[in-house]
Amino acid sequence: MHWRRTDSAIPVSGQVSLRWLPLRLVSEILYGFQLRTAHSVRTVDQTLRRICDRARMLGLTTLQDWKVEDLHQTERAMIRAFQKVVSRIGATPETERRKDVWDLAIFGHSGILPFTEIRQPAFREAVKLWAANELGRRRGTRTHAVHSTVQSYLRGFALLSESLWLQRDNHGLDHTRLGRADIVDFSNRLGFLLQEGTISAWLRHGYTRQSRQILNWIRTSGTTRPGQPLDGLPGDFAITPEDLPDLPEDTEAGKDLPDEVMRQLCANLDLLEQSSTRETRVCVELLIDTGRRPDEAATLPWNCLAKDPDGTPVLLYNNYKANRPQRRLPIAKETAALITAQQERVRGKFPNTPVAELVLFPSTRANPEGRKPIGNIADVHRNLVDDLPEFLVPIGVHENGQPTIKMLAFDKSLIYPYTYRHTYAQRHADAGVAPDVLKVLMDHRLLSTTQGYYRVTEDRRRAAVERVIAMQFDRHGNRVWRKAQGLLESEHVRRAIGEVAVPYGVCQESSNVAAGGQSCPIRFRCVGCDHFRTDVSYLPDLQAHLSDLLRSCERLRSAFDADDWARSEAMPSEQEINRVKRLIERVKGDLDDLSVEERAQIEDAVANVRRGRPVTLGMPRRIGQPLPDVRPRRSA
């Protein structure tokens, strides 16, 4: 009888024997198997058979008693998945809140939330109340982001708990004896961890701010009232705004990617498809073209492409971070063609699934009907970047006290999917897109948030201005400022307040400056005004203006229905066209006279000046005129 109860049954393909297993264990295995099937997870019969045989041999009565460390990886993973779903039977948020480790699936999210690092029981219970309230406020489908955000708050408060444990005689267990000195000790400990390299300056600020928010919620929610977990917590045990450490200086390094890096990445996207899937490659291309957040692109629905009334394509996506569904983003026709090709591919792969339920980038695992999107692409993207040759970019350095440009290797750790969003913002800022328009493109609520995506530091902007201003020209094409190295502080101030941006240059006429560029008596015929100045950083604008002038001449000379006086007023003069041509030739001529090293320095300075320019004024756009196409070029 013992042999029959413990020995393995005769294996039959496609069958798993549950004989002689306790009824509870059978129910748990069947329940876990049903949930795996409902989530389109394939179960290998050999793996499940080995699990049942092992459980029969060990005489187990429930999966919860099984220590699986000595099993094979596939068996261990299946048993832990069964244990997880079984543990959720009958669980509710009310029952889960009594535990010290929460399963966030009970609250509609993913992951676990441990409170064990908060060592003082009273604080642990208070933070549980905060967490339950915070989880209820979190909306949207980004359940993994909810988990990481709330867990970050817990890590910050755990450091406060650790500070009390280490620096208090009673380990902070008596919260009624805490005070201002304990907050000072916490701030000093964070400073010590920063010096030791354990945390960064950003984490130091974040942990302090998050601990402050939890403490403020504890007081405002009544958790310090009589009968509550922190009854009697002193009022001076609080983190004030003055306790928040300064944020580190924000620089653009590692955010937007240099053009040299982008060209090499775009040229090697085929490698990404070879090492991963077509969906991953197209998703990365969409990140490059649209600047959306990685999870916004990865979870796009199949029918994410639409058109505006004028026929231009737009991308429909969900801004999960700000809980703003159904956002619209103008995109280039090439990007729309990329999406259309992917739609055809997905539709051909899942012809029986309704399009309303399909996703644009379906996962290749446990997804027989195409409803599940791909997961995080960061790992496969990192493998691609690490396998590519070094990215050489021009970097300004000093040799023997003299500035020079050298081709140095770009840090690959600074290339990850989210940097495409910064690069998207930088490309549009360099193309002259106004900040308020760029704010809409980035789907930010605050303009200050958008400015953080393409801002350069004042030191770099100042050095770039000094270099570019050495090649400043008047309306006749004469150099007007050659000694940039001797620029005085007063001249920097004068430059900031003594001129105003105008199309393809700046204006120094006092009344127009005072009016913010809106009081030009000659209606922006800048190349005919002696107050006009331009420099090498405006060369793309000058070239674009010349193209507009020539294009306008051709249209007006064609069969255009207008009165003669209107036609003559609108026709650009030959003098204006020749003046713009002369300016372009003069700027290009001076660039050609430079050495390769000097030209590289000027090009680097121009890039910094253009990205630091808050707005590039231009002639009024036509209603409905599309934004500049700044989509990076790459092979099909």
Side-chain angles (χ1 to χ4, degrees):
M1 182 64 69
H2 176 74
W3 169 77
R4 295 180 61 186
R5 291 179 180 274
T6 58
D7 196 38
S8 302
I10 298 175
V12 179
S13 179
Q15 295 183 12
V16 177
S17 174
L18 300 176
R19 289 192 180 96
W20 299 109
L21 290 177
L23 181 60
R24 175 174 176 175
L25 184 59
V26 171
S27 301
E28 292 175 349
I29 292 176
L30 291 177
Y31 179 70
F33 174 71
Q34 290 173 350
L35 285 187
R36 284 173 63 88
T37 305
H39 288 85
S40 303
V41 179
R42 178 172 176 263
T43 302
V44 180
D45 58 345
Q46 295 94 329
T47 304
L48 186 58
R49 187 181 299 116
R50 288 195 297 268
I51 289 175
C52 293
D53 291 345
R54 182 72 172 172
R56 188 182 294 109
M57 184 182 66
L58 294 175
L60 295 177
T61 59
T62 175
L63 287 174
Q64 302 302 105
D65 297 336
W66 202 338
K67 307 300 181 183
V68 298
E69 287 73 13
D70 59 337
L71 296 180
H72 188 270
Q73 180 180 356
T74 55
E75 299 168 8
R76 185 166 61 245
M78 186 177 294
I79 293 174
R80 284 178 173 169
F82 286 172
Q83 290 174 336
K84 181 182 296 185
V85 297
V86 168
S87 67
R88 294 171 182 169
I89 297 177
T92 65
E94 289 71 26
T95 60
E96 196 69 18
R97 286 167 59 174
R98 302 191 188 103
K99 302 177 182 178
D100 288 339
V101 179
W102 290 1
D103 183 355
L104 291 185
I106 309 301
F107 298 88
H109 302 290
S110 63
I112 61 173
L113 204 61
F115 296 87
T116 52
E117 294 185 1
I118 302 177
R119 307 187 184 188
Q120 296 78 17
F123 278 115
R124 186 185 307 140
E125 294 304 315
V127 174
K128 285 182 184 179
L129 295 175
W130 168 86
N133 175 79
E134 188 69 13
L135 291 173
R137 294 175 57 247
R138 299 284 173 173
R139 301 175 298 272
T141 60
R142 297 196 322 156
T143 57
H144 63 282
V146 172
H147 164 248
S148 60
T149 301
V150 178
Q151 195 169 53
S152 174
Y153 277 79
L154 292 189
R155 281 195 295 266
F157 203 89
L159 287 176
L160 174 58
S161 172
E162 181 184 39
S163 176
L164 297 176
W165 186 268
L166 295 175
Q167 302 186 69
R168 267 282 180 177
D169 292 338
N170 61 353
H171 302 305
L173 297 175
D174 185 1
H175 60 270
T176 62
R177 296 172 54 188
L178 301 179
R180 176 64 190 170
D182 299 290
I183 298 297
V184 175
D185 291 340
F186 172 55
S187 299
N188 292 335
R189 177 157 182 79
L190 289 182
F192 167 76
L193 295 177
L194 174 63
Q195 294 298 325
E196 291 290 306
T198 305
I199 61 175
S200 65
W202 284 100
L203 284 178
R204 179 190 183 190
H205 177 89
Y207 287 156
T208 307
R209 175 178 54 81
Q210 292 164 352
S211 298
R212 177 174 182 261
Q213 291 180 8
I214 294 179
L215 284 177
N216 288 345
W217 183 90
I218 286 174
R219 295 188 183 281
T220 57
S221 64
T223 314
T224 58
R225 291 177 180 174
Q228 296 298 316
L230 290 176
D231 177 15
L233 183 69
D236 58 346
F237 184 75
I239 301 175
T240 65
E242 291 75 17
D243 294 321
L244 294 176
D246 293 334
L247 283 170
E249 181 182 358
D250 187 18
T251 68
E252 79 282 12
K255 294 183 180 178
D256 65 285
L257 299 176
D259 292 339
E260 294 81 4
V261 174
M262 288 301 301
R263 282 195 292 269
Q264 190 169 342
L265 284 170
C266 290
N268 288 278
L269 287 174
D270 289 339
L271 299 178
L272 182 61
E273 183 173 351
Q274 294 172 11
S275 62
S276 183
T277 62
R278 174 71 180 178
E279 282 71 25
T280 304
R281 182 234 171 97
V282 178
C283 184
V284 170
E285 289 193 75
L286 209 60
L287 291 177
I288 294 173
D289 285 356
T290 64
R292 298 309 90 188
R293 299 178 181 91
D295 61 327
E296 294 170 356
T299 57
L300 283 171
W302 185 90
N303 53 352
C304 62
L305 189 62
K307 289 186 177 181
D308 278 335
D310 60 356
T312 56
V314 294
L315 177 71
L316 305 179
Y317 70 99
N318 295 315
N319 183 344
Y320 297 116
K321 183 175 182 180
N323 193 32
R324 304 169 77 179
Q326 286 297 301
R327 312 304 293 170
R328 300 173 68 88
L329 175 73
I331 57 177
K333 293 181 179 178
E334 294 85 352
T335 306
L338 184 73
I339 295 175
T340 301
Q342 178 64 16
Q343 288 176 326
E344 294 173 353
R345 171 183 167 85
V346 173
R347 193 63 186 143
K349 193 174 181 179
F350 306 100
N352 299 323
T353 305
V355 294
E357 300 176 11
L358 281 174
V359 293
L360 186 63
F361 303 116
S363 173
T364 58
R365 299 182 60 184
N367 191 28
E369 297 178 337
R371 293 184 173 92
K372 184 189 301 183
I374 60 177
N376 194 341
I377 64 172
D379 291 339
V380 292
H381 183 272
R382 170 54 51 200
N383 294 334
L384 167 70
V385 172
D386 291 341
D387 291 341
L388 292 178
E390 293 291 342
F391 298 91
L392 298 180
V393 296
I395 303 293
V397 297
H398 282 77
E399 282 190 352
N400 300 324
Q402 295 296 326
T404 185
I405 299 293
K406 282 196 170 185
M407 300 299 291
L408 301 178
F410 188 79
D411 186 359
K412 290 185 177 181
S413 66
L414 302 178
I415 306 174
Y416 45 91
Y418 203 92
T419 55
Y420 297 132
R421 182 166 172 82
H422 289 271
T423 308
Y424 172 88
Q426 191 62 65
R427 289 199 310 266
H428 283 78
D430 291 345
V433 176
D436 55 338
V437 177
L438 185 54
K439 179 176 77 74
V440 176
L441 293 177
M442 300 293 287
D443 200 23
H444 290 148
R445 286 193 172 96
L446 300 176
L447 181 61
S448 58
T449 304
T450 306
Q451 290 172 335
Y453 276 74
Y454 64 92
R455 182 182 56 191
V456 297
T457 61
E458 182 61 29
D459 291 340
R460 288 193 62 183
R461 186 186 301 116
R462 184 186 186 94
V465 167
E466 291 185 1
R467 185 168 294 148
V468 168
I469 207 64
M471 300 188 68
Q472 191 179 58
F473 302 85
D474 62 13
R475 63 191 176 104
H476 301 289
N478 299 319
R479 294 275 287 270
V480 296
W481 204 343
R482 296 177 180 272
K483 299 180 179 180
Q485 292 181 351
L487 198 64
L488 300 177
E489 185 67 27
S490 59
E491 297 298 344
H492 276 289
V493 178
R494 187 177 297 115
R495 176 172 171 81
I497 65 174
E499 59 188 34
V500 66
V502 294
Y504 41 86
V506 295
C507 175
Q508 297 178 334
E509 202 278 323
S510 57
S511 61
N512 193 34
V513 171
Q518 304 300 316
S519 180
C520 179
I522 62 172
R523 293 188 296 178
F524 291 106
R525 267 81 170 180
C526 297
V527 293
C529 177
D530 199 42
H531 297 286
F532 170 71
R533 297 288 185 272
T534 190
D535 58 54
V536 66
S537 67
Y538 288 97
L539 181 58
D541 305 298
L542 285 169
Q543 293 172 324
H545 180 53
L546 177 61
S547 299
D548 287 341
L549 293 176
L550 297 176
R551 194 180 304 112
S552 297
C553 288
E554 291 300 321
R555 291 190 63 200
L556 291 170
R557 290 193 185 107
S558 64
F560 193 83
D561 189 14
D563 293 337
D564 292 340
W565 66 267
R567 190 193 303 271
S568 61
E569 278 286 326
M571 178 72 73
S573 66
E574 289 296 328
Q575 293 89 341
E576 182 178 8
I577 293 176
N578 292 335
R579 180 64 58 80
V580 176
K581 286 182 177 178
R582 189 182 308 122
L583 270 174
I584 293 174
E585 292 172 357
R586 186 71 175 87
V587 175
K588 285 185 173 180
D590 276 28
L591 282 175
D592 293 338
D593 292 339
L594 299 175
S595 65
V596 176
E597 182 178 294
E598 291 173 333
R599 182 158 185 161
Q601 293 179 8
I602 288 294
E603 290 175 352
D604 182 64
V606 165
N608 286 317
V609 168
R610 289 184 66 84
R611 74 176 57 178
R613 194 170 287 153
V615 62
T616 301
L617 294 178
M619 303 307 290
R621 291 180 181 268
R622 301 189 307 273
I623 295 178
Q625 183 176 357
L627 292 166
D629 181 10
V630 294
R631 180 178 184 268
R633 303 302 172 196
R634 52 187 179 271
S635 59

